[in-house]
Amino acid sequence: MSVLSALWSASSVAVIGATERPGALGRKPVDYLLRYGYEGRILPVNPKSPQILGLPAYRSVREAPGPVGLALIMVSAERVPAAVDDCVAAGVPVAIIASSGFAETGAEGAALQAEVVARARAGGLRLIGPNCIGAVGFHHRVLATFSPLFMAESVPFEPGGLAVVSQSGALGFGVASLALERGLRPGWVVSTGSDADVTAIEVLRALAEEPGCTGLLAYLETVPDVTALRELAASGKPVALLKSGRSAAGSRAAASHTGALATDDRVLDGALRQYGITRATDVDDLLDMGRAFSGPHRPRGRRVAVVTTSGGSGILAADAIAEQDLELTPLADETRRQLAEIVPPFGSAENPIDITATVLSDPSLLDRSLDTVARDDTVDMIIGCFCVMAGADVDKAVRSFGRVAEQYGKPVLVARTGADFLAPDAPAQLRAAGLPEYPSPARAVRAAAALARAASGAGATRPPVVAPPGTQHAVPASDATEPQLKRLLAAAGLPVPPGREVSDAAEATAAVAELGGVAVLKAVVPGLLHKTEAGGVAVGVTTGEAAEVFARLAALGGTVLVERQAPDGVELIVGVRSTPLGNVLTVGLGGIFTEALDDVACRLLPLREGDAAAMLGELRGARLLEGLRGRPAADTAALLRVLDSLSALTTDWPTGFELDLNPVRVLSDGAVVLDAAYTLSKGAAA
């Protein structure tokens, strides 16, 4: 069990800075612990008060009867170091620093924060915060917080399986309050503030170990450590993450095309997809996913069947499924045959299955249709949609959906589109039946996608793609030219055009002849990254033209590379660069489409089985690879080999680099890296 479990299960809580003064923050935790029935020992610490709210108070935590499982520090910033020293001396394993006045205030506060963390680490004390609202464990009624949420006259306190972790205390407890209002049952709420020592991701990892935890919801303001993120994903618990700061993420300039396209926010998106973590767009989205995570069942895959009483709802659900990482399963032949005997002729026995409003006069339609669908092995999840149903009709629908979910063990999510006054008891009925409920098909589908993503086996658990034995894994020199880079790429198994570097017109003419009489000539000039813009590339050069073209390119200040001209194909841009999260591979449409369409996908390295194909699937222009308007289909398998080989080559390259392969041309048979550039950021190791 993690030491951090004290945040939600400590058998004794010390409140350092406790007071009886009405309205004071130091009064609230003691008041909450008493009011909500905490059964452990409450230890108020205040050197000026012998008693607080009827409890004995102590001059310091060292004088309090031990052991002390958790301390909540609520004194001014300048008094925090001494409080931390007292906690270390008393053997407290975890302390929450609620106080503000640290790194958020400037350099002086940052220095004080660093001092406090150093003292705690030296003494084996883990710190939450500073500048946080605290933590609550609903199961053991541990309320180490001053959140105003618990000042309300009535707070539902039936614990559930959801965990809420937030760097922002106010937002985190706001999310918790909305969860309670909507009938969700959080079991844990933890705010981590500045994450000076313990991070939000560490808390999430510890909560994932709790047997009763069914899902994790988080709000972050900073980019998490990728190792911790990967370990969290590997826990197997579904995770939804709301990360702020999308709009400012792309402001950093980069030397290469792929560096400019692989913004930090886009990289985080790719990492979350890679590890099976869903990124929420707002608080409502986060809670929608939490509702799905609260259900008892997990899907085996991403194949969805929609059963609806409304054709319109079914169409909306199908549209949403097409937009998410889900499949509207075609159903087995026998399933369709049986449905055709059940569904009215003016309905639809195809997925989405529309049993029509006839269900109002014949409720057995829903039971028979659901049983038929649930028995189909091609169905992993069911989304039920009904509209404007009221009274007994809703009761029957809820019983039908709930029975099928329990009997077949498949997740059933319900889109109930209609005002609450039509069926005031429906939300409670659906919750009691373990059925996640949403007001629209699209919201139900998005929540289903989060559930499927988490259950599909996070990328963190799949083995990385490795290079064949004997493949070389060299790192380029800081001033590597295109010919040097291509030799390195070829040694790593990546396809490059045949060719050679020449230093005079005669060599150029001979090289063109050797390559079939038509070739591409390129200027090789150190520091010249964008050769086409500088007039440093000539295509379709014949032996008769080679000498003249050589002279023109050599005048740019270097040698000339002569290469075989590749056949036509689909051009993509592929690159790798180092980021705060790790080395990242980016792929997107190349050529003139690169900046115009901004159509790229990112993944952290190393790539794992299936990652490369998933990246291509995310590209809006992926259909170009299929062959349009009579053009042959591109060799996608060859492109996937390029991506996997590039991952194996560059995963362990040191930080501060950008490698740009632009374009990679995918042919009808094979693929070829036509250009390559390598740059180091200022101060990076060569």
Side-chain angles (χ1 to χ4, degrees):
M1 179 180 292
S2 168
V3 68
L4 298 180
S5 65
L7 292 166
W8 46 85
S9 61
S11 58
S12 58
V13 179
V15 182
I16 302 173
T19 178
E20 275 196 358
R21 182 162 51 86
L25 295 182
R27 177 189 174 111
K28 287 182 170 60
V30 180
D31 189 14
Y32 295 163
L33 289 164
L34 290 169
R35 187 193 311 179
Y36 289 95
Y38 173 61
E39 295 182 354
R41 292 180 297 117
I42 307 170
L43 307 170
V45 175
N46 188 324
K48 299 179 181 179
S49 300
Q51 190 179 69
I52 291 175
L53 297 179
L55 297 170
Y58 305 92
R59 293 180 54 81
S60 78
V61 72
R62 283 180 292 179
E63 296 181 11
V68 179
L70 176 65
L72 177 58
I73 299 175
M74 303 190 66
V75 297
S76 58
E78 67 272 10
R79 295 168 56 197
V80 168
V84 166
D85 288 344
D86 282 349
C87 288
V88 169
V92 179
V94 182
I96 299 169
I97 302 178
S99 320
S100 57
F102 292 90
E104 76 277 6
T105 64
E108 187 174 341
L112 180 61
Q113 178 172 300
E115 176 191 346
V116 167
V117 171
R119 291 189 185 197
R121 287 179 176 169
L125 171 67
R126 299 306 309 271
L127 295 178
I128 306 294
N131 193 26
C132 74
I133 294 181
V136 175
F138 284 75
H139 294 271
H140 298 281
R141 297 181 179 262
V142 178
L143 288 93
T145 180
F146 60 91
S147 170
L149 167 60
F150 300 99
M151 294 175 62
E153 291 185 7
S154 177
V155 177
F157 226 84
E158 183 182 358
L162 279 181
V164 178
V165 178
S166 174
Q167 287 181 314
S168 166
L171 184 63
F173 281 94
V175 169
S177 71
L178 289 172
L180 291 167
E181 180 182 65
R182 299 177 188 187
L184 296 173
R185 295 182 300 146
W188 307 266
V189 182
V190 181
S191 68
T192 60
S194 300
D195 279 21
D197 177 30
V198 176
T199 67
I201 295 291
E202 284 185 84
V203 175
L204 288 165
R205 284 171 53 201
L207 283 166
E209 297 174 6
E210 292 291 322
C213 178
T214 61
L216 302 155
L217 309 180
Y219 168 76
L220 298 184
E221 294 173 349
T222 57
V223 175
D225 171 68
V226 67
T227 301
L229 195 66
R230 187 183 297 118
E231 291 173 355
L232 172 62
S235 72
K237 295 291 175 70
V239 184
L241 175 65
L242 177 58
K243 166 67 173 63
S244 60
R246 283 181 180 271
S247 58
S251 59
R252 185 171 61 187
S256 70
H257 287 298
T258 44
L261 292 168
T263 63
D264 284 349
D265 196 68
R266 182 174 275 153
V267 169
L268 179 61
D269 272 345
L272 296 179
R273 286 175 180 268
Q274 195 169 6
Y275 297 150
I277 296 173
T278 298
R279 185 169 185 177
T281 56
D282 58 23
V283 169
D284 283 331
D285 197 28
L286 190 69
L287 290 172
D288 279 355
M289 294 171 190
R291 191 176 295 281
F293 296 167
S294 297
H297 306 300
R298 296 291 179 260
R300 294 174 303 172
R302 45 188 288 273
R303 300 167 299 178
V304 179
V306 178
V307 179
T308 179
T309 63
S310 159
S313 292
I315 294 169
L316 289 175
D319 287 344
I321 287 169
E323 294 169 358
Q324 296 294 330
D325 188 23
L326 295 173
E327 176 189 350
L328 188 69
T329 185
L331 301 175
D333 292 341
E334 179 60 18
T335 301
R336 294 200 303 274
R337 187 192 65 76
Q338 293 179 23
L339 286 171
E341 297 176 356
I342 298 170
V343 175
F346 47 90
S348 173
E350 300 291 333
N351 194 13
I353 301 106
D354 180 11
I355 63 175
T356 77
T358 306
V359 71
L360 299 177
S361 58
D362 182 4
S364 71
L365 277 178
L366 184 57
D367 278 318
R368 288 184 288 152
S369 298
L370 285 172
D371 279 321
T372 301
V373 169
R375 285 193 295 263
D376 190 332
D377 288 337
T378 72
V379 176
D380 300 314
M381 286 185 287
I382 298 172
I383 294 179
C385 304
F386 61 92
C387 301
V388 204
M389 292 173 67
D393 293 323
V394 173
D395 296 343
K396 294 172 185 175
V398 171
R399 284 197 298 270
S400 296
F401 286 122
R403 177 190 61 78
V404 166
E406 183 176 359
Q407 181 175 342
Y408 295 95
K410 295 181 179 182
V412 177
L413 292 82
V414 175
R416 185 181 67 90
T417 306
D420 282 345
F421 64 75
L422 291 167
D425 297 330
Q429 291 174 313
L430 288 160
R431 287 195 298 272
L435 296 170
E437 177 216 6
Y438 304 90
S440 69
R443 285 173 65 171
V445 167
R446 180 161 171 77
L451 200 58
R453 191 171 296 120
S456 64
T461 63
R462 300 195 305 267
V465 175
V466 297
T471 304
Q472 297 181 28
H473 289 117
V475 177
S478 59
D479 58 351
T481 62
E482 181 183 350
Q484 292 169 336
L485 277 176
K486 284 184 170 176
R487 286 194 289 272
L488 184 150
L489 295 173
L494 281 90
V496 300
R500 61 187 174 95
E501 203 170 355
V502 298
S503 55
D504 59 41
E507 286 187 11
T509 301
V512 172
E514 293 166 7
L515 294 170
V518 179
V520 176
L521 273 63
K522 299 181 182 181
V524 181
V525 181
L528 182 61
L529 296 179
H530 306 299
K531 293 182 283 294
T532 301
E533 291 87 336
V537 178
V539 299
V541 179
T542 65
T543 52
E545 299 166 331
E548 177 187 350
V549 173
F550 171 85
R552 174 165 54 82
L553 297 181
L556 294 175
T559 59
V560 172
L561 175 64
V562 182
E563 290 184 328
R564 177 177 295 165
Q565 185 158 312
D568 289 341
V570 180
E571 293 191 351
L572 288 95
I573 179 171
V574 179
V576 182
R577 77 174 180 98
S578 61
T579 76
L581 281 174
N583 292 348
V584 172
L585 188 145
T586 302
V587 61
L589 288 179
I592 62 173
F593 300 111
T594 300
E595 282 86 5
L597 297 184
D598 193 25
D599 185 14
V600 299
C602 299
R603 289 293 186 275
L604 288 173
L605 298 184
L607 294 185
R608 298 170 187 271
E609 183 179 348
D611 281 347
M615 292 175 75
L616 296 186
E618 292 169 22
L619 298 178
R620 297 189 302 275
R623 286 196 61 202
L624 291 174
L625 295 167
E626 299 172 7
L628 299 176
R629 296 184 179 275
R631 296 173 63 91
D635 188 348
T636 305
L639 175 58
L640 295 178
R641 289 193 294 272
V642 167
L643 300 181
D644 285 342
S645 296
L646 189 60
S647 167
L649 172 65
T650 60
T651 291
D652 297 324
W653 281 9
T655 60
F657 76 92
E658 292 180 11
L659 174 66
D660 213 23
L661 309 184
N662 185 21
V664 173
R665 185 174 293 174
V666 190
L667 314 174
S668 59
D669 182 15
V672 61
V673 178
L674 297 186
D675 199 3
Y678 178 80
T679 58
L680 290 177
S681 59
K682 195 171 182 180

